[in-house]
Amino acid sequence: MLFTTGYLTQRGRVERNCYELAIPNREITDLFVSQIRGWFEETTRADVPRMEKFCAAFPDGDAALVEEMLNDYLWNSISIRDTSVRRDRKENFYHGMLLGLLQYEDSWFIKSNAESGEGFSDILIETKNRIGVVIEVKYAEDGNLDKWCAEALDQIERKSYAARLLEDGMKSIVKYGIAFNKKHCKVVSG
């Protein structure tokens, strides 16, 4: 339809029934750009309340809400093929995904793999209300999400990951162990 109406033009033939198409001029390019931007802005606006709710749950210590929303996100957004990498790299996928979601809250100071206490915590957050958040992510290869959440919280304590947040003047600290397995997660706060 775009071809027959002139919004795309033929530039060549690749195979028998396959053609190379192009946007014919700057006017049509500008039209496509503004239309696509409009679609993205509409989609983004619709997502604002959900992202605000998700981010607010972290400093509030609402592990149940974080878990519910994160599970919905996993179910609707990722493929289990996204984690078809070596065992020692699976955690990185979820870590990066979570960082991307948390970046929505632009008033937070977020550090990834920051030195704190006696090691490097996965994610540290400093909110404008001086609430610190420590997140330790684990991949539960065996599917035992509860076990890996407990391991994550134990690691936060054992390695004193909250130390940097306390040094930076955070009044209170919320700690999360988050375990993932394919399209599922468990979130525990401690």
Side-chain angles (χ1 to χ4, degrees), residues 54-114:
F54 177 71
C55 288
F58 279 90
D60 289 347
D62 193 343
L65 182 58
V66 171
E67 180 178 320
E68 177 188 336
M69 295 186 81
L70 201 47
N71 271 309
D72 286 347
Y73 180 80
L74 291 168
W75 188 257
N76 293 316
S77 300
I78 73 163
S79 163
I80 58 169
R81 295 199 58 143
D82 291 332
T83 62
S84 60
V85 294
R86 289 188 339 243
R87 162 66 181 105
D88 62 336
R89 306 305 262 160
K90 290 182 186 285
E91 186 179 303
N92 293 352
F93 169 78
Y94 295 103
H95 179 132
M97 180 198 67
L98 189 54
L99 272 175
L101 291 170
L102 293 170
Q103 287 296 325
Y104 172 81
E105 185 54 69
D106 61 3
S107 68
W108 289 353
F109 180 65
I110 302 173
K111 295 296 275 180
S112 174
N113 294 308

Side-chain angles (χ1 to χ4, degrees), residues 135-177:
I135 301 170
E136 184 62 28
V137 175
K138 296 291 182 192
Y139 183 75
E141 183 75 37
D142 61 2
N144 189 340
L145 298 171
D146 291 316
K147 175 181 98 175
W148 288 101
C149 281
E151 169 60 30
L153 288 175
D154 181 60
Q155 184 176 332
I156 290 170
E157 291 302 319
R158 194 174 63 251
K159 297 198 175 198
S160 304
Y161 286 162
R164 181 167 178 175
L165 296 172
L166 294 169
E167 290 169 8
D168 288 350
M170 297 297 106
K171 292 185 207 175
S172 63
I173 308 291
V174 183
K175 303 166 188 170
Y176 289 98

